[in-house]
Amino acid sequence: MKDKKIILSGIQPTGTFTLGNYIGAVRNWTKLQEEFDCIYMIANMHAITVRQDPAALRKNTANAYALLLACGIDPEKSIAFIQSHNRCHAEMNWVLACSTQFGELSRMTQFKAKSEKHPDDINAGLFTYPVLMAGDILLYQSDLVPVGADQKQHLELTRDIAQRFNQKYGELFTIPEPYIGETGARVMSLQDPTSKMSKSDENPNACIFILEDKDTIIRKFRRAVTDSDTCVRFAEGKDGINNLMTIYSAVTGKTMDETEREFDGKGYGDFKTAVGEAVADHLAPIRERYAQFSADKAYLEKCWTEGAQKAESIARRTLSKAYRKVGFN
Ligand code: ATP
Ligand code: LTN
């Protein structure tokens, strides 16, 4: 019997993390390290489903790893590695692809959204990406997968694939549960509060990057789209204000009621500035730590090499069992 539950999650190195990535995912990862056996991965194999400049991908991958450490992932407590360093992911992908239905993959909303966004490159990898993700999770017999709400559908598919494999070939995979934080599971765009904040958004004002300086952060919040009401309260139809209140709550720990009271009688301008300041102050220590880690390439390389070794020794066991179960000699 294992004593602690296993947690696995990943993030793509497609650019600097946004406030959405941080509040919806990475911040929760750091808290979970105390209680669980955690495995965190920079999903560079997922990243090439969308065209990447090779030099930029290499740089972004190293930066994303440094950013994970800066956000508080401790390589002594957790396993932190880069996906392509562990070949088991590519191998498991094939085995699981043969237990996944074309129809299931066709229903993935992220596939539909990304193929609309990149109509000139609807590659097979973009289509089968949830299978690679299922492999990431199942290789480590993960119990819980902390992600933002946008990944829930991929996780449900992972569960279906695992159950189907277990039925066909005999029990092997642990069936994972999603772990979605209560606040900030979906941080919305500052310019269009009905769509999620995404690092690939073309409008730079829509998105807060966690390494941005205080002035930029405050300026972006001051420009955030709200409504024609003047009262700071959480209510249906007030998407912009609801989003700002969610963000404020996530970085200050204040409830919606407390926030409503705090800004009673004050206008949106004061509130937006306060949100900007709270976010910038919350992120300042991460920026400082990032500067330290990213300057120490030797340390980063040592961490990710050790991380990959640990990850591979766990994943290899599951992969060998899967190979045996399907009948490979
Ligand atoms: P891209 O814009 O390239 O699609 P992304 O910003 O959606 O990227 P991912 O690398 O796909 O980021 O996601 C990393 C993690 O961050 C996932 O767990 C995802 O659920 C979470 N996440 C991404 N955007 C948000 C958001 N706006 N709110 C909450 N969580 C988010
Ligand atoms: N597909 C995810 C990143 C990701 C992931 C994973 C998350 C890759 N592998 C395994 C959880 C578990 C994304 O784009 N956000």
Side-chain angles (χ1 to χ4, degrees):
M1 267 295 273
K2 55 189 185 191
D3 45 352
K4 282 187 190 170
K5 288 200 169 181
I6 299 173
I7 296 253
L8 177 129
S9 201
I11 186 160
Q12 298 195 45
T14 41
T16 333
F17 302 172
T18 67
L19 189 62
N21 299 140
Y22 176 70
I23 295 177
V26 181
R27 189 173 71 150
N28 298 325
W29 298 3
T30 59
K31 295 184 193 150
L32 295 166
Q33 299 182 105
E34 311 305 327
E35 210 184 319
F36 301 101
D37 281 335
C38 297
I39 305 169
Y40 297 124
M41 177 187 86
I42 304 298
N44 59 344
M45 293 170 70
H46 286 263
I48 62 166
T49 54
V50 173
R51 182 91 180 86
Q52 302 286 334
D53 169 58
L57 179 63
R58 202 168 289 125
K59 194 162 146 254
N60 284 337
T61 303
N63 290 348
Y65 193 92
L67 206 42
L68 269 196
L69 302 191
C71 287
I73 304 298
D74 178 348
E76 299 290 320
K77 288 188 191 149
S78 302
I79 299 178
F81 75 105
I82 294 170
Q83 187 180 25
S84 65
H85 289 174
N86 178 1
R87 283 160 207 273
C88 297
H89 292 260
E91 293 183 45
M92 187 57 109
N93 178 53
W94 179 250
V95 174
L96 297 180
C98 299
S99 280
T100 308
Q101 297 301 304
F102 181 88
E104 291 178 301
L105 291 174
S106 314
R107 287 193 287 275
M108 295 296 115
T109 53
Q110 194 177 73
F111 170 69
K112 291 184 212 162
K114 289 210 172 175
S115 36
E116 272 166 30
K117 212 163 162 191
H118 307 278
D120 53 339
D121 185 20
I122 307 178
N123 63 76
L126 189 65
F127 186 67
T128 60
Y129 149 127
V131 181
L132 182 63
M133 177 160 163
D136 302 337
I137 297 166
L138 300 178
L139 274 171
Y140 301 92
Q141 304 289 13
S142 314
D143 297 288
L144 291 173
V145 183
V147 282
D150 61 308
Q151 294 296 320
K152 202 163 167 253
Q153 200 186 21
H154 292 157
L155 222 50
E156 276 156 15
L157 178 65
T158 301
R159 291 165 57 86
D160 291 343
I161 297 173
Q163 270 154 354
R164 190 171 307 134
F165 186 99
N166 285 352
Q167 265 162 19
K168 266 204 289 190
Y169 298 110
E171 283 301 307
L172 171 59
F173 297 125
T174 303
I175 311 298
E177 302 278 344
Y179 180 96
I180 295 174
E182 300 115 58
T183 39
R186 204 185 285 271
V187 176
M188 308 311 275
S189 155
L190 297 186
Q191 292 299 312
D192 170 13
T194 57
S195 67
K196 81 160 191 164
M197 183 182 282
S198 164
K199 45 177 134 61
S200 44
D201 201 310
E202 254 121 64
N203 183 348
N205 288 324
C207 190
I208 302 289
F209 294 103
I210 68 172
L211 295 175
E212 278 174 327
D213 62 69
K214 188 165 185 168
D215 288 350
T216 310
I217 293 177
I218 293 176
R219 184 166 37 80
K220 287 188 180 181
F221 275 108
R222 290 197 60 87
R223 289 191 185 155
V225 169
T226 47
D227 52 59
S228 54
D229 192 9
T230 48
C231 170
V232 176
R233 73 195 157 87
F234 196 92
E236 205 171 319
K238 290 169 69 74
D239 297 325
I241 287 295
N242 294 350
N243 187 37
L244 296 184
M245 287 181 76
T246 304
I247 293 172
Y248 191 64
S249 162
V251 296
T252 60
K254 291 177 187 166
T255 63
M256 299 303 170
D257 282 349
E258 283 167 343
T259 306
E260 285 176 5
R261 277 197 300 277
E262 185 180 350
F263 292 94
D264 189 24
K266 294 189 187 142
Y268 282 176
D270 287 343
F271 178 53
K272 287 179 179 180
T273 308
V275 180
E277 276 178 358
V279 167
D281 291 346
H282 186 89
L283 297 178
I286 298 179
R287 274 179 70 195
E288 278 168 33
R289 283 198 299 269
Y290 176 76
Q292 287 163 6
F293 284 124
S294 57
D296 194 347
K297 292 280 172 309
Y299 177 69
L300 287 179
E301 275 186 35
K302 173 182 163 288
C303 291
W304 74 49
T305 306
E306 286 174 6
Q309 284 161 356
K310 290 185 214 160
E312 182 156 358
S313 76
I314 302 170
R316 183 65 60 194
R317 262 179 270 151
T318 314
L319 183 69
S320 302
K321 287 185 194 158
Y323 270 26
R324 245 179 283 134
K325 290 224 181 251
V326 300
F328 291 166
N329 303 62

